[in-house]
Amino acid sequence: MDIEKEAARIAEQGECAPRLARDPVNLPMIRTWLEAIGDEHPGYTEVAPPAMVQVWTMAGLHGQRTLDDPLGAMMTVLDEAGYTSVVATNSDQTYHRYLKVGEQLSVTTSLEDVTGPKRTGLGEGWFVTTRSTWWVGDEAVAEMRFRVLKFKPANVPGTAAPAASTTAPATTPAAASSTSTPTSPTAAIRPSVNRDTEYFWEGTRQGELRVQRCGGCGLLRHPPGPMCPECGATKPTYLVSDGYGVIYSYVVHHHPQVPGKQTPFVIALVELDEGVRMLGEFDGEPSVGQRVEVVFTKVDDDLTMPSWRPRADR
Ligand code: ZN
């Protein structure tokens, strides 16, 4: 497919038809947004914060792009050419005036620019820039230039989905039941180890599940940190957990693909008998309240991963 030709065709169509906001500018949405952002300015009772302009014309959780939407059309072209990934976007917004409660917005979008292919650290990609204008009636009230890099993921060992599916999941207790099955170190996502977490990973290497304990007041805490939230002491110690707990909550991860893992897999939030909660992979059919025990899986000499399985003796 000729990407530049397709881009020119879409750009030539100009602005899409105006898309109406689902609701007029309204106070409940303004309050929700201010809370989410953490903005306590008391002035937004009759006008909306300018930066939430895009909120008003969001299509909602199950929204569909319109057929003449140029961004959607260009994304489809690039998806079909193998440029399937997005890592970050950039928005430049211009506000012409405050929006008043009760005003009904609409938005139009055109494709401004498509440049590529560019070599980036992530892989080869195209920069796509669109321009949107928000309207109240025929008055332009705000504009946005939106840029996105669509790229072909570079072929990193262990990240290609078909290759990963032939590799044993790095942390499943199934691998551990044959004591220790080393998996390819390149296939697994490795934890970042620092001064605060080193004791934990040293523990798993020795078959110990260590829980950070405040050197001042004795409070147990997890995940580890440099300072006690209770008393402020900065010299933590640890205790070795018995390795038993119950599933407090869990998720079944289906998407996206994770290097070295087969989906779906279960990540459980386990409440240890000692009282703190800890995340880890769980091997089995999870249910809240289920008794579990820790399993250690040696990945290589440096890394042993803890995970969970149903407690054998209950
Ligand atoms: Zn403390």
Side-chain angles (χ1 to χ4, degrees), residues 214-219 221 228-233:
C214 176
C217 71
L219 182 79
R221 61 184 195 258
C228 176
E230 199 63 35
C231 75

Side-chain angles (χ1 to χ4, degrees), residues 17 20 35 48 83 89 127 130 163 173 219 285:
L20 269 187
E35 281 177 13
Y83 300 91
T89 63
F127 286 100
T130 57
L219 182 79
E285 278 293 312

Side-chain angles (χ1 to χ4, degrees), residues 145-189:
R145 192 173 269 119
F146 175 79
R147 197 163 83 138
V148 56
L149 170 68
K150 283 279 276 179
F151 67 97
K152 244 179 222 181
N155 215 2
V156 180
T159 58
S165 66
T166 60
T167 313
T171 61
T172 61
S177 61
S178 56
T179 58
S180 65
T181 307
T183 53
S184 163
T186 56
I189 292 181

Side-chain angles (χ1 to χ4, degrees), residues 126-229:
W126 294 74
F127 286 100
V128 177
T129 307
T130 57
R131 188 179 189 84
S132 294
T133 306
W134 282 274
W135 305 85
V136 174
D138 57 5
E139 179 192 5
V141 291
E143 286 159 57
M144 175 173 72
R145 192 173 269 119
F146 175 79
R147 197 163 83 138
V148 56
L149 170 68
K150 283 279 276 179
F151 67 97
K152 244 179 222 181
N155 215 2
V156 180
T159 58
S165 66
T166 60
T167 313
T171 61
T172 61
S177 61
S178 56
T179 58
S180 65
T181 307
T183 53
S184 163
T186 56
I189 292 181
R190 302 181 72 88
S192 66
V193 179
N194 59 35
R195 278 191 298 176
D196 294 330
T197 60
E198 213 291 322
Y199 79 96
F200 181 85
W201 298 107
E202 178 55 36
T204 60
R205 278 194 291 272
Q206 297 180 26
E208 291 181 358
L209 191 67
R210 296 177 178 176
V211 178
Q212 199 172 44
R213 178 164 55 190
C214 176
C217 71
L219 182 79
L220 295 177
R221 61 184 195 258
H222 190 87
M227 184 188 282
C228 176

